Amino acid sequence: MNAPSPYRQSEIRNLIQGFITERLATKLEGLAEDDPKRATLLAQYAPDVWLEDAARRAAQIQAVTHTLKAIHPDAKGTNLYCLPSALPQHQLVGSHCLGDDFAGDVVGNAAALDVYKLLKLEHDGQTPLDLLLAADADAIAALHTDDKHRSLPRCYVRARQPGLPHPYGKPSHWLASSFTAT
């Protein structure tokens, strides 16, 4: 791990604050300068306030590569996050064929999807979520400016923790034509 870099911390913080500023601008569109909602939104979208709320909401989402609900709507259990490149290689078509060129997804509370959008931003080819999972000192420092918020980065990492298995979570597959294993 590299030594902490104030410049890099500043770049990551600017990326995060730019995201929050864009979200605020969208909310403020069409509001009059004297609208009471304006002051409320400005307070809610102060970076430290928004990040603290986003950390709380991060517990309501989970990053996935294999979602359980698509298999059975009543299933309650584990949604998987398995990097395709980390899966065993074999000749049959499967998730392993995707390599590093895949798009992850998220399940959970739709009101928390903006947290996932934040975590999927890119800085030097890496996402804030990847940096936090790697315990990157600069990303951790970019998320909090004081000791009061030191635990926030751990809250975001919860978005990729596994859940529990469920009996309805067994996928079914149908062959489209005859198949002979070799």
Side-chain angles (χ1 to χ4, degrees):
M1 184 176 288
N2 297 335
S5 163
Y7 177 75
R8 189 163 171 266
Q9 290 171 21
S10 176
E11 284 183 325
I12 296 169
R13 188 174 294 117
N14 288 341
L15 177 74
I16 293 167
Q17 289 179 348
F19 175 81
I20 295 169
T21 300
E22 284 179 25
R23 306 270 317 155
L24 173 62
T26 302
K27 299 278 185 181
L28 292 176
E29 279 180 19
L31 286 181
E33 288 291 326
D34 60 346
D35 191 319
K37 290 181 184 178
R38 191 175 192 82
T40 303
L41 287 170
L42 288 170
Q44 288 175 343
Y45 282 80
D48 284 345
V49 173
W50 192 90
L51 286 170
E52 191 168 345
D53 180 58
R56 179 189 58 78
R57 292 181 296 125
Q60 301 171 14
I61 59 172
Q62 182 185 15
V64 298
T65 54
H66 300 79
T67 179
L68 190 58
K69 286 291 183 183
I71 296 168
H72 195 288
D74 292 333
K76 295 183 181 4
T78 301
N79 293 292
L80 300 176
Y81 191 91
C82 300
L83 293 173
S85 59
L87 296 171
Q89 301 296 308
H90 51 82
Q91 291 183 346
L92 300 177
V93 174
S95 299
H96 66 284
C97 296
L98 297 172
D100 291 329
D101 189 24
F102 76 99
D105 200 358
V106 68
V107 296
N109 185 350
L113 291 180
D114 59 337
V115 177
Y116 188 65
K117 287 180 183 178
L118 168 74
L119 295 174
K120 293 304 289 178
L121 295 175
E122 287 222 3
H123 172 73
D124 287 341
Q126 290 187 295
T127 67
L129 181 57
D130 293 334
L131 294 171
L132 292 173
L133 287 168
D136 183 273
D138 293 331
I140 291 168
L143 280 175
H144 66 80
T145 55
D146 57 22
D147 287 338
K148 175 185 170 197
H149 297 99
R150 186 169 290 290
S151 65
L152 288 183
R154 284 193 302 275
C155 297
Y156 292 105
V157 173
R158 281 190 229 143
R160 203 172 290 164
Q161 291 179 339
L164 300 170
H166 191 273
Y168 291 149
K170 297 176 180 148
S172 298
H173 303 279
W174 295 268
L175 293 175
S177 63
S178 64
F179 173 80
T180 304
T182 57

